[in-house]
Amino acid sequence: MTIQQLKVDLGDQRSYPIFIGSGLLNKAECLTPYIRGRQVCIVTNETVAPLYLQKLENLLSEDYQVSTLILSDGEKYKNADTMMQIYDHLLEKKHNRTTTLIALGGGVVGDTTGFAAATYQRGVNFIQVPTTLLSQVDSSVGGKTGINHPQGKNMIGAFHQPQAVIIDTDVLKTLPARELSAGLAEVIKYGLINDAEFYEWLEKNITILLSVDPVIMTEAIARSCQNKADVVNQDEKESGIRAILNLGHTFGHAIEAAQGYGQWLHGEAVAAGMLAAVDLSVRMGWVNKIEVDRLSVLLSNANLPVKLPPNMSTDQFLSLMIMDKKVTDGKLRLVLLESIGKAVVTEEASKENVVATIRACR
C-alpha cells in the first residue's frame, strides 16, 4: 500500500504533515526529518510499550540519544501527577531545548506528552505516533494538548502543534474491539459535521471497518484527518468554526466526568452525546426525526452506545455541561446540526429543550 500524505497548513513553521499507511514504524524517512537536535524522549504506556516501543527504539537508537518513559495506561492517569513524571524524566536525563518528544500511544499519551512539550523549557518539539483509531483521527491532529481536572475534562492545556503525525495502520490489528468502536465514533462525527457524502460511505462500510480491512480503514482515516485538517486550517485555536469538532462532546464530557474517567471510553461518551445533539437539533426544528433513527442504526452497527447513562440525573447533566469550555458568560454553547454534513455552534437551545433531550435519550 502506498503512503498517503496530508498537510495541516497553518503557514510559517506550524504546518506539518500527516503520514498514513502500513508499516510506517519501520520507515525512518517519515520520522527522522522532523526530529530536531540529537536528543529524543519516547513517551509511551505499559500497554503499548511491549508491542511497539522496540520498533521505534531500533529506528532511532543509532543516530540519536534516546530515552524512554513508560507511563501507566488509562484516562485516569491524564493528570498533573503524570505530567510531573514526564518533567522529572526530562530533567533527570538532562534533555535540553532542542529535544524532541515522541508520543507513542493513544490520546492520553498524546495529550499529556504534547502538553509537556508545550511547557518544558517553555516549549520543545514533539511528534505524534498515535496507536488507537480515536487518537489517529482526532487527538493527534490539531495541536490540542492537556490534562484532566477532577471537575472537568481537558480544562488545563495548551495549543502546541506537532512536527508530524505518523499513522501506522498496522497497529490497529492489536487494538481491542471496544477501542476500535470508540474510535469509529469520532470518524462518524466528521461525516455528521462536515461531509454528508462520507457519512453515507460510512453507513455502507461500517461492518468492513470493524474487520479492520486495511484499504477501507486507510480511506476512513485519511478522510477523517482531511476533514479535521480543513477545519483546523481555518481556525487553529478554536475561536470560531473549530468548535464544530466538538459535536456530542458537551454531553459526552459530562458523562465521562460523572462516571469516572475511563469507565466510559471517550468515543463511547461522544457517541451517546452525538445522538443527544441530533435529538436536540430535531427539537430546534433543524433536522428531521429520521436522522436520529439513522444515526442510532449507524452507532449500533459500530457497537457504540445509543443511550445516555440512566444513573445520571438531569440536574447532574446540566451542572456538568455548564463546565464545558465552550460556555461563555454563563451561556451554554452547543454544537448542533442544521443538516447532515453541516454543524453549527449555537446558544439558542432552551433549557427546556436540553432537559427534554436528556430525558428522552436516557
Side-chain angles (χ1 to χ4, degrees):
M1 290 176 62
T2 57
I3 298 173
Q4 291 205 39
Q5 182 175 345
L6 311 175
K7 184 180 182 182
V8 179
D9 190 0
L10 301 173
D12 58 56
Q13 297 180 358
R14 296 193 320 284
S15 297
Y16 54 92
I18 305 169
F19 297 100
I20 307 165
S22 172
L24 298 194
L25 284 178
N26 300 315
K27 298 184 186 299
E29 64 270 23
C30 292
L31 183 63
T32 55
Y34 306 97
I35 294 176
R36 179 185 177 194
R38 310 313 302 167
Q39 293 180 313
V40 172
C41 176
I42 303 171
V43 182
T44 186
N45 66 34
E46 57 196 9
T47 302
V48 174
L51 298 170
Y52 304 114
L53 177 57
Q54 190 68 57
K55 237 178 212 189
L56 203 51
E57 287 179 327
N58 290 345
L59 207 62
L60 301 172
S61 57
E62 285 190 17
D63 299 315
Y64 300 94
Q65 301 168 30
V66 180
S67 71
T68 299
L69 177 61
I70 300 174
L71 303 172
S72 298
D73 185 17
E75 183 77 23
K76 65 182 179 180
Y77 297 108
K78 186 177 166 180
N79 56 30
D81 289 341
T82 298
M83 287 290 296
M84 289 307 299
Q85 286 184 56
I86 300 175
Y87 295 143
D88 290 346
H89 176 87
L90 293 171
L91 290 165
E92 179 187 331
K93 299 297 182 181
K94 297 181 171 55
H95 283 265
N96 59 40
R97 295 188 76 178
T98 64
T99 194
T100 295
L101 276 59
I102 298 179
L104 176 66
V108 173
V109 169
D111 283 4
T112 52
T113 303
F115 190 27
T119 50
Y120 181 69
Q121 298 199 29
R122 296 186 175 87
V124 298
N125 286 351
F126 86 114
I127 294 170
Q128 290 271 21
V129 186
T131 59
T132 65
L133 179 59
L134 191 147
S135 60
Q136 288 178 348
V137 301
D138 185 50
S139 59
S140 67
V141 178
K144 277 188 175 181
T145 71
I147 55 175
N148 297 332
H149 186 278
Q151 294 185 50
K153 185 178 172 70
N154 294 328
M155 296 303 290
I156 304 162
F159 287 95
H160 190 59
Q161 301 295 343
Q163 297 302 110
V165 180
I166 316 297
I167 298 175
D168 188 336
T169 55
D170 289 354
V171 302
L172 298 179
K173 296 173 184 175
T174 59
L175 193 66
R178 185 182 174 196
E179 293 273 2
L180 183 70
S181 290
L184 287 173
E186 294 284 358
V187 173
I188 291 166
K189 176 193 75 177
Y190 292 112
L192 283 169
I193 65 171
N194 201 40
D195 194 340
E197 182 182 313
F198 183 40
Y199 187 70
E200 293 175 7
W201 183 89
L202 288 168
E203 289 179 305
K204 296 173 184 174
N205 289 284
I206 195 70
T207 303
I208 305 173
L209 281 169
L210 287 171
S211 71
V212 199
D213 176 88
V215 175
I216 296 296
M217 184 59 76
T218 297
E219 175 70 11
I221 293 170
R223 290 184 71 164
S224 297
C225 288
Q226 187 63 65
N227 269 295
K228 181 159 191 180
D230 289 344
V231 173
V232 173
N233 291 346
Q234 299 175 64
D235 179 18
E236 181 183 358
K237 296 189 175 180
E238 202 171 81
S239 58
I241 191 175
R242 182 167 176 167
I244 68 170
L245 295 171
N246 291 314
L247 178 72
H249 286 58
T250 304
F251 291 99
H253 287 170
I255 294 170
E256 290 180 273
Q259 302 297 312
Y261 296 122
Q263 295 302 309
W264 278 55
L265 297 180
H266 176 66
E268 294 170 338
V270 166
M274 289 193 300
L275 201 63
V278 178
D279 179 274
L280 185 53
S281 301
V282 173
R283 296 176 195 279
M284 299 289 289
W286 293 344
V287 298
N288 193 287
K289 172 70 166 63
I290 194 171
E291 301 302 349
V292 176
D293 299 332
R294 187 178 167 192
L295 178 58
S296 181
V297 169
L298 180 55
L299 293 174
S300 295
N301 287 341
N303 298 323
L304 285 162
V306 293
K307 293 287 185 181
L308 301 176
N311 62 343
M312 284 182 67
S313 69
T314 301
D315 287 344
Q316 188 178 22
F317 254 110
L318 293 173
S319 65
L320 288 168
M321 289 169 70
I322 206 70
M323 292 293 295
D324 187 81
K325 297 188 299 298
K326 294 185 296 301
V327 169
T328 54
D329 299 326
K331 291 184 178 180
L332 188 61
R333 297 170 70 228
L334 292 164
V335 183
L336 303 178
L337 294 186
E338 289 186 340
S339 62
I340 298 299
K342 186 177 181 182
V344 62
V345 183
T346 180
E347 296 177 357
E348 294 177 17
S350 67
K351 181 179 178 180
E352 290 75 19
N353 276 339
V354 174
V355 167
T357 283
I358 292 169
R359 290 173 175 167
C361 292
R362 280 206 300 258

